[in-house]
Amino acid sequence: MAQQSPLRVGVYENPPKILLKNNQLSGIFGELFMEIAEQEGWEVEAVPCEWNECLQLLQQGEIDLMPDVAINQQRDERFIFHETPILHSWSQLYGKSNLKISTLLDLDNIRIAVLEDSIQQKYLRDIANNFGLTVTLVPVTSFEEGFQAVVNDTADAVAANHLYGDQRARQLNLEATPVMFQPARLFVVATNSAMQPMLNTIDTYINAWKQDPNSPLFKTLKRWRAMEEESPFFPLALVVGLVSTLLLVLGVLLWLRRRVKQRTLELVHSELKLNTILDSVEAYIFIKDKDLKYQYANKMVCDYLGTNTADIIGQSDTAFFDKETCTRLYQNDMRVIEKGLRVSDEEDNVTTDGSVRHFLSVKIPLRDANDNVYALCGISTDITEHITIKESLNQLEYYDSITGLANRKLLLKNLEHALASANRTKYDGALLTIDLTHFTIINETLGHSAGDKVLQQVAQRIRARIEDTDTAARLGSDDFVVILEDISQDTDQAVLDVRNWAHELLDCLAEPYELDDITHTTSASIGVTMFSDSQDDVAGLLKNADLAISEAKAQGSGSIRFFNPAMQEAINRRMLIESALRRAVKHQELELYLQPQVNECQEVVAGELLLRWTDPDLGSISPAEFIPIAEASGLIIPLGAWVIEQACRTLRDWQTFDALKHIPLAVNISPRQFRHGGFVTQVEHCLREAKLPAGMLELEITEGMLIDNVDVTVKRMYKLGDLGVRFSLDDFGTGYASLAYLKQLPLYQLKIDQSFVRDMLTDVNDDVITQTILGLGKNLNLSVIAEGVETVKQRDHLHAMGCTKFQGFLFGRPAPISKWQARLLESAVLTVD
């Protein structure tokens, strides 16, 4: 529908249901309406007004729509309502702590502030008139004005919807009374029939949202009920309200019995009034005799059963409900009839046509003048929507939205229970962590939708292989965890059973995954820790499982590793190294060494800078040990920045020496450092400060960096290339780089990994790979350098294949920059023994 002009929406301040915030609709109604408006492209104009003023403006056509309006017969004739209510609410009385009101019958001689022309005002006026109560209704234009009237003692109580009232009463140190009334369904209304398509659209969204626990409806309800623990729980609050209504009904019945003795005509008139009241209450009210035959049913009961009063009277539950429901209702009803008990219970009722509704029912005995039970009176409230919302919130709180498996919160809860059970029964259990191999590649190449389908199929395969007492969880990305309980009282047998189970799961996970029109295969690694390894400690068990999966991933895909004490020793050393490294980075205690790179004439044409570290307590620590720790801990960022800064300073100083000013320096760059948001800016700053010619600073990157987010990698490389930086692809041939990547990247050089150079004279495969890399470099017009050259035979063999650049111990070991600087100033040609 094309919108010709802005929708004028009347807004009266009634938080949290509707309010204005920065001249925009807010609150529960406001946020949901604006969500629909945004989806439909409606332009919305908020028109602030008081409650009564809003109704008048709507009637006069000055506004198009008004949210937060309860339906009644009078309004149904004046306004246009959509079909599905957006919110359910009820009214409640609030007053100071000294106000003693328990039921509606206690309202005699009470001043009540009530919203003018509201349903609350009409309801309270009718109650006062029907039962001869002297109630002073103090009309106000807003709920806030009503609460201020109580504070200022111009009213004893204020009638307000519970959503606003509970919150405001706490703020003003007022109390909610037990008197609740007028459960209401709340809508957006209009008067102009041209708005009917808009109302139909609202129904479409509300009906769809109610089926989806992740919809804006549930998220908005959850957000605006932020202080739920301080509010009365919905079913319990209704119990109090129903009891109040029930007392009212009983009072009416007693009153009618007294009136029967006085005047029969007045009895008939009063019965008509009572039926009108009971039919107007949004509760299912009925009376059954001692044989459990219906003697009375109000309009809500008739509408629910799809029939009329005449067809209900004299019937039993078997005429309307299925067998199981009838059995359950019979048991509760007989407790009232035979034992005279007051019964309050939640009932799941299934009618003969199969429809299911959830009710909160209160049933009380009706007694004659001799105190004998002659019937029961029941009042039921439909809580189906509340149960649905509660179940949806529970799903959001404890389960993963993609796979339906348990989330971390439920996993920790079940793990604690499993450990307690194992301690009691002496049956060992296990915690398994499962990691999919290269899962990120699926998301990047096939899209996140395909990745989600893989996760869902993995979850199905895991769930199919566990018992009902076990737990499967997803903690994020491709991290899955399984709790296996009650395996065996023999620890060795338990370990064997878990290993067999893990092998079966790996075989299952390796089977193909159907992703629409393609088939994908992947593998996994599994880390295992037994309950008996952790001394009843959940935190220790999780830590051991993390250590086990780290070892399994390091061992390669398809691996299974069990936790052992050596892993703990390794992590303890890792923590010591990380702490010492953090201190060393802060105080710049690491040192840069240089290893030369030579041409076929053994002239130094470049140098690679390498980090070295000797700790006062731990001694000399290999880069192979401390670099991965720096990468994982984030220390690689400041450490890498320091290395680039030192490299640029060295190159700047070398510009004053003719023998050194043409020698570039290469620096290894880690993936985390390269992806850091400030990396390009930092390199640019160092180059600008050193005023270096182009091509003097080389950055060595690895193949693994190319797989993850290729587009961003290429963009950054080109930006750095524009600054004069050259790139070498380090350890070429050991990773997963595609030739397609090489065509996209602004590379200057390929480095043949030393593992190929070391064995090329004895291993034909390494020799072929080395020749292939040299040929690839030539065809792509890239320089190629071989690293790890340690013997003359290796150099000569490489030279015979066409390699013209070398690096290795044969030409010089890494040494402090100052030492190599002094040596190169003497001669740029290196001798070989």
Side-chain angles (χ1 to χ4, degrees), residues 346-408:
E346 289 188 18
E347 298 174 343
D348 300 333
N349 294 351
V350 182
T351 56
T352 52
D353 63 2
S355 64
V356 183
R357 304 296 293 179
H358 306 281
F359 295 91
L360 177 65
S361 296
V362 178
K363 300 175 181 178
I364 63 170
L366 300 181
R367 300 178 183 272
D368 58 21
N370 297 321
D371 203 32
N372 296 319
V373 176
Y374 68 89
L376 69 82
C377 177
I379 302 179
S380 299
T381 301
D382 192 334
I383 58 172
T384 305
E385 184 175 1
H386 170 77
I387 295 295
T388 301
I389 293 174
K390 183 178 178 181
E391 291 175 349
S392 299
L393 293 178
N394 182 72
Q395 185 74 18
L396 290 173
E397 184 176 7
Y398 289 108
Y399 293 91
D400 174 58
S401 59
I402 294 177
T403 63
L405 298 181
N407 61 13
R408 178 177 293 275

Side-chain angles (χ1 to χ4, degrees), residues 432 465 484 492-508 526 528 560 562:
L432 299 89
R465 281 162 176 77
L484 297 180
D492 292 338
Q493 183 62 45
V495 170
L496 181 61
D497 290 346
V498 171
R499 183 179 292 279
N500 292 338
W501 187 91
H503 276 298
E504 292 175 1
L505 181 62
L506 285 178
D507 292 341
C508 175
I526 298 179
V528 184
I560 301 171
F562 280 73

Side-chain angles (χ1 to χ4, degrees), residues 630 634-642 670 672-676 682:
L635 289 171
I636 197 67
I637 304 301
L639 182 57
W642 177 79
S670 79
R672 186 167 184 174
Q673 180 185 5
F674 187 82
R675 298 187 193 105
H676 187 262
Q682 189 252 339

Side-chain angles (χ1 to χ4, degrees), residues 37-102:
E38 181 178 356
Q39 295 291 330
E40 295 296 319
W42 297 345
E43 183 180 352
V44 178
E45 176 186 346
V47 180
C49 49
E50 299 292 343
W51 162 257
N52 206 25
E53 180 188 1
C54 285
L55 292 176
Q56 293 176 0
L57 292 175
L58 184 66
Q59 189 71 33
Q60 296 166 3
E62 297 296 321
I63 59 175
D64 303 308
L65 298 170
M66 181 177 173
D68 188 21
V69 178
I71 191 171
N72 61 17
Q73 183 176 356
Q74 182 182 11
R75 290 178 187 163
D76 197 26
E77 296 172 354
R78 294 169 56 195
F79 303 132
I80 303 173
F81 287 74
H82 53 89
E83 294 293 330
T84 304
I86 295 178
L87 196 63
H88 288 75
S89 180
W90 65 83
S91 298
Q92 194 161 359
L93 295 183
Y94 301 85
K96 295 183 178 179
S97 59
N98 59 358
L99 182 65
K100 305 301 181 184
I101 297 178
S102 299

Side-chain angles (χ1 to χ4, degrees), residues 217-242:
L217 174 63
F218 290 109
K219 291 179 180 178
T220 301
L221 290 175
K222 185 175 182 181
R223 181 165 55 254
W224 283 97
R225 293 178 180 177
M227 300 183 70
E228 187 172 338
E229 69 278 6
E230 296 180 20
S231 301
F233 184 54
F234 180 73
L236 294 178
L238 281 181
V239 170
V240 177
L242 292 173

Side-chain angles (χ1 to χ4, degrees), residues 715-783:
K715 187 179 298 184
R716 290 194 174 185
M717 288 179 67
Y718 272 105
K719 190 168 184 179
L720 289 167
D722 293 340
L723 299 175
V725 176
R726 297 195 302 190
F727 289 94
S728 291
L729 189 55
D730 198 12
D731 303 333
F732 185 68
T734 62
Y736 301 91
S738 164
L739 294 181
Y741 293 154
L742 299 183
K743 293 168 57 179
Q744 300 180 46
L745 302 176
L747 292 174
Y748 153 72
Q749 180 173 260
L750 302 178
K751 295 192 75 174
I752 303 175
D753 186 69
Q754 59 183 338
S755 63
F756 303 130
V757 173
R758 181 176 58 249
D759 298 326
M760 67 181 179
L761 298 177
T762 57
D763 190 323
V764 66
N765 291 324
D766 289 341
D767 192 49
V768 170
I769 291 173
T770 302
Q771 292 185 52
T772 301
I773 295 173
L774 286 166
L776 182 63
K778 182 178 180 180
N779 291 330
L780 294 178
N781 198 26
L782 297 175
S783 174

Side-chain angles (χ1 to χ4, degrees), residues 594 596-599 602-607 663 820 824 827-830:
L594 184 145
Q597 299 173 349
V598 302
N599 61 15
Q602 296 177 190
E603 296 174 333
V604 176
V605 294
I663 299 177
W820 273 108
L824 293 176
S827 174
V829 180
L830 304 180

